[in-house]
Amino acid sequence: MNTERSDHGLSRVGQVKEVTSLANPIIKEIRALSQKKHRDETHSFMAEGLKLVIDALDLGWKIRTLVYAKAAKGKPQVEQIAARTVAKGGLVLEVSEKVISTITRRDNPQMVVGIFEQRYRALKDIHPQEGETYVALDRVRDPGNLGTIIRTADAAGASGVILVGDTTDPFSLETVRATMGSVFAMPIVRASAEDFIHWQKSAGVRVVATHLAGSVDYRTIDYRSKPVVLLMGNEQAGLPVELAREAGALARIPQAGRADSLNLAIATGIMLFEARRHLLALDAG
Ligand code: SAM
């Protein structure tokens, strides 16, 4: 095999580039993906783990770069995704453990990392159908909450997550990690509060807004006759009046004990599984 070593410590073996130096410009680019500004500029993000990368490729996500640790070299599944990456015009990097743990900021890193193109759906293209449930999140701030909600929405069979207003980045490393791969399965939409209000008026949906001052017990709502959008409030401020007043129902999950409210991701999970209770069965999963 031919190995060429270039100035920045990067060598080429066939289609695979071997990288050992943290100063390598491609590695610097990948490390910069920890900043939202760089993710936005390049429309890309990082996902860790062999299974996640395989799932993403199977679901048609565009991979730009595949990075794997030397220790994973020769594993059939790694060879397969490397070949698929090259076939799609992507770059494959074989790196040292030090490089991969620096990229992922972990002592015990995954052996495989993929850099993918970001993907959003446009709100105007969302036409909810019978039996569908969407989650709309007003200004969600916490990456762990957002990732958990995307994962839970996927598990409940929801059709998409709509991010309303200025929210945390669904493609940050922390959010992607918390989704456990569901970021690749769940359509994600971004919208301003105005666009969301405008859309929901004509989309033929029942918006169920959740609020600590809600007077409707969430278990008494009709989730069957129309597609449902569960509207959840910001972690600190809850739902603003402009959004709350547009909703068909202000739902509340009854609580006991001393806690003022439920964690946003927990409340969303409870709502999702109630809204889809009639559609979920043990043997259908
Ligand atoms: N201080 C905020 C407030 O006064 O609304 C608390 C917000 S709570 C942590 C975040 C979101 O989770 C709420 O806006 C609501 O969507 C949902 N939530 C939490 N507990 C709930 C409950 N018991 N009933 C309905 N929604 C709830």
Side-chain angles (χ1 to χ4, degrees), residues 18-285:
E18 203 185 312
V19 183
T20 49
S21 166
L22 286 173
N24 181 284
I26 307 173
I27 299 303
K28 281 187 170 168
E29 275 265 307
I30 295 174
R31 288 176 70 185
L33 288 175
S34 61
Q35 298 153 27
K36 181 172 186 310
K37 183 169 173 283
H38 193 69
R39 290 194 297 274
D40 288 349
E41 279 166 7
T42 59
H43 304 288
S44 61
F45 69 104
M46 175 160 58
E48 305 150 281
L50 179 62
K51 185 184 173 300
L52 243 73
V53 172
I54 295 173
D55 285 353
L57 290 175
D58 287 348
L59 288 166
W61 284 69
K62 188 164 170 23
I63 189 163
R64 291 192 180 158
T65 307
L66 175 75
V67 184
Y68 67 81
K70 259 196 171 66
K73 186 181 182 169
K75 293 198 169 152
Q77 282 183 310
V78 175
E79 300 278 309
Q80 271 168 25
I81 52 170
R84 288 174 77 179
T85 303
V86 171
K88 300 254 184 237
L91 184 67
V92 180
L93 304 178
E94 185 184 303
V95 303
S96 59
E97 281 227 13
K98 183 184 73 181
V99 169
I100 209 158
S101 73
T102 306
I103 289 173
T104 57
R105 298 158 168 243
R106 285 201 162 183
D107 289 340
N108 239 337
Q110 295 273 356
M111 292 286 112
V112 174
V113 167
I115 312 300
F116 291 91
E117 211 160 86
Q118 294 185 8
R119 198 191 272 178
Y120 285 101
R121 291 275 297 277
L123 189 59
K124 66 173 175 46
D125 296 335
I126 303 292
H127 306 289
Q129 303 297 308
E130 195 186 327
E132 285 195 330
T133 313
Y134 287 81
V135 175
L137 301 172
D138 157 52
R139 297 164 299 152
V140 55
R141 283 269 158 246
D142 184 86
N145 273 346
L146 177 54
T148 304
I149 290 169
I150 292 171
R151 177 182 179 183
T152 309
D154 180 20
S159 301
V161 173
I162 304 169
L163 303 176
V164 181
D166 187 18
T167 68
T168 192
D169 183 2
F171 296 112
S172 71
L173 191 53
E174 202 182 341
T175 302
V176 171
R177 264 181 197 154
T179 72
M180 298 291 286
S182 292
V183 69
F184 294 114
M186 195 48 27
I188 297 174
V189 180
R190 276 182 302 190
S192 65
E194 298 71 41
D195 287 349
F196 175 76
I197 290 169
H198 184 73
W199 170 82
Q200 53 116 37
K201 282 182 177 152
S202 58
V205 292
R206 178 182 309 285
V207 177
V208 177
T210 55
H211 205 288
L212 298 186
S215 55
V216 182
D217 185 320
Y218 79 112
R219 295 165 295 190
T220 64
I221 292 170
D222 168 17
Y223 297 102
R224 294 175 187 234
S225 55
K226 282 182 177 182
V228 170
V229 178
L230 301 170
L231 177 57
M232 311 299 298
N234 165 270
E235 290 97 333
Q236 267 81 47
L239 265 190
V241 187
E242 319 78 271
L243 285 173
R245 71 168 166 238
E246 300 292 334
L250 270 194
R252 179 151 53 101
I253 303 164
Q255 290 184 211
R258 286 175 58 89
D260 289 338
S261 64
L262 294 164
N263 160 275
L264 170 63
I266 299 285
T268 309
I270 292 172
M271 292 303 297
L272 269 167
F273 279 86
E274 180 64 20
R276 298 192 57 76
R277 187 152 61 103
H278 60 291
L279 296 164
L280 296 167
L282 279 183
D283 53 4

